[in-house]
Amino acid sequence: MSAHPSGNDNLFLFADEEEPQEEVNDTDNWHILIVDDDKEIHTVTQLALSGVKILGKSLFFGHAYSGRDSVVYLREHSDVAIILMDVVMESDNAGLDAIKQIRDVLHQHDTRIILRTGQPGYAPEEQIVQDYDINDYKTKTELTRSKLVTTIISALRSYKQLCQIKQNHVYLQQIVEASSHIQKQPQPEKFVQLVVSQFSQLLRLPLQGLLLVQTLNQSENRTYVVGATDEFESLTQQSLEQIDNGRIIHQVSLCLTQEDHQLNEHDTVLFIPGQKHHAALYLDSGIQRLEQRPYIDVFLSNISVALDNIKLIQQLKTTAYTDKLSGLYNRAGFIKAVNHYLQNEQMGDVIALIDISHFSEVNHGLSQEIGNLMLKACADRLAEQFSNHCQLARVNADVFGIIGSKETLNPESIESLFSFPLMVAEQRMPVYFNMGFLSRDDSTTTGLQALKRADIALNHAKKHNTQKYAYFDDTLEQKMAWRLGMAQQLRADFKAQKLQLWFQPQIDLQTTKVVGCEGLLRWPTENGNMISPDIFIPIAEHSGLIIEIGDWVIEQACREIKQLENLGITKIKISVNVSIAQFRDPTFSKKLVHTIESFNVNPELIELEITESILMNNPNAVINVLNQLKAHGIQIALDDFGTGFSSLSYLNKLPLSRMKIDRSFVQDMDSGNGKTIVQTILSLGQKLTLKTIAEGVETETQAQYLTELGCDIIQGYLYSKPLPPEDFKLFIEQSLK
């Protein structure tokens, strides 16, 4: 136990000195712990400081009568501002040992400690201050009442500053964490909920609210709710004027007009400045004063940046999922909508794809501008009919997609919608189209799969002219899978050099000599059978492989001509078919000329056979390419004349050397009309000074009749079927003998 102070010592608490004055603001208490083994010290200390208010607060006293008791007390009370600690109590260093526990074990570093001792000189003051984190070290005899108050004031100021620094750190940490969370939230509604939640934590108030954005763009100038919480959620996306709450309208308007916070006892509106927009955060609790306003303003600045990011993300999403021309969903947006449709039966039970027929002809014939106007007109008409009940999209250049119910969305409703022409550039334009439908079923699991199946139905409708539409079923998918497998096998066999070019002789009717042949592509299977060209040529065209195959066919024809020349057989012309895909290849003519020159072949021995369908796909472009090839000496033949829809005006412009009569006309020569058609075609060829070739000649009667009508050359089973290269050479050698 420490020595008790003398009676005179106790009078330090009552010395008659003037007390420092402080402004008072009676709010809370300063918690002061008196630690001394002398109960009288507790009494007189508390009595001396009774009624004193420091920094606007009264004093509240706690008591401990030993060093150990003080540690226990502080473990249970974390709000002690000052400890008046005696040094000598249950042991000579009890006070110092307690201080070490308080600092090192309890980690209460903000609490100010005033060390008091009744034994002057017991411990050197400088050493104690250096080794222990204490605020002051006084002997009890030198602490008069006024000096005690002065010491308490100084310690409390220090404690308050430390608490403020600590609170600022905590506040700043909260701001940083809150800002980090809101920066990561891209959805407006959840963003606002997060912002309000973070303010609830920062201000320690239960809050609900809504965030409004005021666009600063003069052309769009409006204020609208981007998101809200709980009772305000129904206001989302409403403009300020639409809100059925006069107080919110008034307070938000004041905030945005004055560009300043609106603080009052009923509610609070915080102003959030931005470069392209201002925002106002309405909170349903009144806040009279913003504690830590600089930090709040920093948080509001971060909210503004995050809001900019959200708006940018929304713009990017709009760009990513919206077709700029029509304003509808694009392909990506439609797939996203279909994914939602597959999970939500309320969206309907059918998906439709509408393909505008011959759209490329509009683009090429009337200009791309007119084509775009036509597509926009189609989109507008679809929107007028279906936008209230269905999801619409432009999923491809000339293909529209719709999701809806079968009662609304069906072939009849779409056909009726386009039964009258569109108004395009002040002209009436009819619309021709095909449709593919996919009904809801349990086997379609993804938007991409659904779109693929609808597309399969659409392709089936395009290939069958009997009706404009088709509904998907499993057999269509099986056929598509078969075609895909065939395309893969064709590519593999072509790469493995399994394809062959056979030759069917062409016979001059006057001399009965072989003057040329048609190169015909053959695809043998492993069992020795042949896959029909009617099957694999469309697959090659659809897969894009036809360009590579076409280049290879030209090379094989040149190689065959050189081999015939090595045998002394010259002037045998080889005709090869070309597809529209090859004409669309911008390098086609250049590659063709290069191939012929690299083999050192007479270009007049190479003849390209084009069909009327190729010509009519893009007449001017095709004619330009043919003229380029003709200038290099390459011959041009019109194949299957009379089976297409070509115009005689284009026929006159073509740089043709020969015209081929389709086998279907030759087979029909037994009828009166068939003979007339063949005679007309031959007569036309003669008028145009073109050599004529008849295909599919199988009988002597057909050959005799064609000779009488003046046909020049025939090709058919009457003389020879298509032959592999070695057999073709033998055939020519025998014919020359």
Side-chain angles (χ1 to χ4, degrees), residues 611-613 615-616 638 641-651 654:
T611 62
E612 294 176 84
S613 60
L615 173 65
M616 294 310 296
L638 184 60
F641 180 76
T643 60
F645 302 95
S646 64
S647 167
L648 293 178
S649 64
Y650 285 120
L651 187 62
L654 289 169

Side-chain angles (χ1 to χ4, degrees), residues 183-406:
Q183 292 282 0
K184 295 176 182 178
Q185 178 52 256
Q187 299 181 21
E189 294 81 4
K190 292 183 178 180
F191 168 80
V192 174
Q193 293 171 3
L194 186 58
V195 167
V196 174
S197 172
Q198 296 293 352
F199 263 109
S200 291
Q201 296 179 36
L202 290 172
L203 302 177
R204 297 183 178 86
L205 290 172
L207 298 173
Q208 296 299 327
L210 61 154
L211 182 67
L212 298 97
V213 168
Q214 180 187 55
T215 56
L216 301 181
N217 187 336
Q218 293 297 325
S219 61
E220 189 192 352
N221 192 6
R222 69 188 188 103
T223 303
Y224 62 98
V225 180
V226 295
T229 61
D230 293 348
E231 63 181 278
F232 298 117
E233 278 187 312
S234 61
L235 303 179
T236 301
Q237 295 305 317
Q238 289 188 25
S239 65
L240 178 61
E241 295 77 12
Q242 292 176 312
I243 297 176
D244 187 18
N245 187 314
R247 180 167 185 82
I248 292 178
I249 294 175
H250 177 71
Q251 293 297 98
V252 169
S253 297
L254 278 178
C255 173
L256 294 173
T257 302
Q258 298 177 5
E259 298 187 1
D260 196 11
H261 307 319
Q262 301 298 311
L263 310 178
N264 58 74
E265 61 181 344
H266 302 291
D267 47 25
T268 303
V269 189
L270 301 176
F271 178 69
I272 306 173
Q275 293 184 347
K276 297 181 179 179
H277 63 263
H278 291 329
L281 178 64
Y282 178 88
L283 302 172
D284 65 349
S285 290
I287 303 171
Q288 298 290 336
R289 184 167 61 91
L290 280 178
E291 297 290 344
Q292 307 292 343
R293 175 158 180 168
Y295 296 101
I296 292 291
D297 288 340
V298 169
F299 186 37
L300 292 173
S301 296
N302 286 333
I303 292 174
S304 179
V305 172
L307 193 57
D308 280 337
N309 291 339
I310 286 179
K311 292 178 74 65
L312 179 59
I313 290 171
Q314 294 300 312
Q315 290 171 359
L316 291 175
K317 283 185 177 180
T318 299
T319 302
Y321 295 119
T322 304
D323 173 55
K324 187 176 181 180
L325 175 66
S326 64
L328 305 176
Y329 277 134
N330 59 14
R331 180 182 177 85
F334 190 63
I335 292 174
K336 184 179 179 182
V338 173
N339 278 320
H340 187 207
Y341 153 84
L342 293 174
Q343 305 300 321
N344 183 6
E345 294 187 0
Q346 294 182 351
M347 287 183 66
D349 43 28
V350 67
I351 298 169
L353 293 181
I354 305 170
D355 181 278
I356 308 301
S357 304
H358 310 300
F359 175 70
S360 60
E361 296 175 14
V362 175
N363 257 358
H364 294 140
L366 298 178
S367 79
Q368 186 175 354
E369 181 182 0
I370 297 298
N372 287 341
L373 290 174
M374 179 182 180
L375 289 173
K376 185 65 170 64
C378 286
D380 291 343
R381 185 167 292 184
L382 288 169
E384 289 174 7
Q385 177 73 15
F386 297 112
S387 61
N388 291 333
H389 314 286
C390 306
Q391 295 280 354
L392 292 112
R394 181 182 171 221
V395 298
N396 211 333
D398 53 1
V399 178
F400 292 91
I402 313 177
I403 304 170
S405 65
K406 59 187 177 182

Side-chain angles (χ1 to χ4, degrees), residues 27 36 91 125 231 304 488 497 545 577 631 655 695 707 716:
T27 54
D36 201 300
S91 67
E125 183 176 340
E231 63 181 278
S304 179
Q488 293 172 339
Q497 299 182 348
L545 186 60
N577 292 279
E695 295 182 298
T707 302

Side-chain angles (χ1 to χ4, degrees), residues 79-95:
D79 63 335
V80 174
I82 296 177
I83 303 173
L84 296 173
M85 177 74 75
D86 190 13
V87 176
V88 181
M89 290 178 284
E90 68 267 34
S91 67
D92 289 346
N93 291 317

Side-chain angles (χ1 to χ4, degrees), residues 454-486:
D455 193 53
I456 290 172
L458 177 61
N459 286 329
H460 183 76
K462 291 165 69 173
K463 291 176 181 177
H464 297 78
N465 295 325
T466 55
Q467 59 185 21
K468 295 181 179 180
Y469 68 92
Y471 277 84
F472 172 83
D473 61 42
D474 291 337
T475 60
L476 296 182
E477 189 166 34
Q478 291 167 8
K479 290 178 182 178
M480 180 65 74
W482 174 83
R483 284 195 292 271
L484 180 60
M486 289 290 286

Side-chain angles (χ1 to χ4, degrees), residues 494 499-503 518-522 536-537 545-561 574-578 582 592 595 599 606-608:
F494 175 65
L499 268 63
Q500 301 172 3
L501 189 65
W502 287 22
F503 305 94
E518 180 179 359
L520 298 167
L521 197 60
R522 292 293 181 263
F536 73 81
I537 293 297
L545 186 60
I546 194 64
I547 294 178
E548 296 177 57
I549 292 177
D551 294 342
W552 175 82
V553 167
I554 298 293
E555 292 177 4
Q556 293 301 107
C558 291
R559 188 172 284 110
E560 185 69 15
I561 290 172
I574 298 182
S575 299
V576 295
N577 292 279
V578 290
Q582 290 172 275
L592 178 55
T595 300
F599 278 94
I606 295 292
E607 182 177 71
L608 304 182

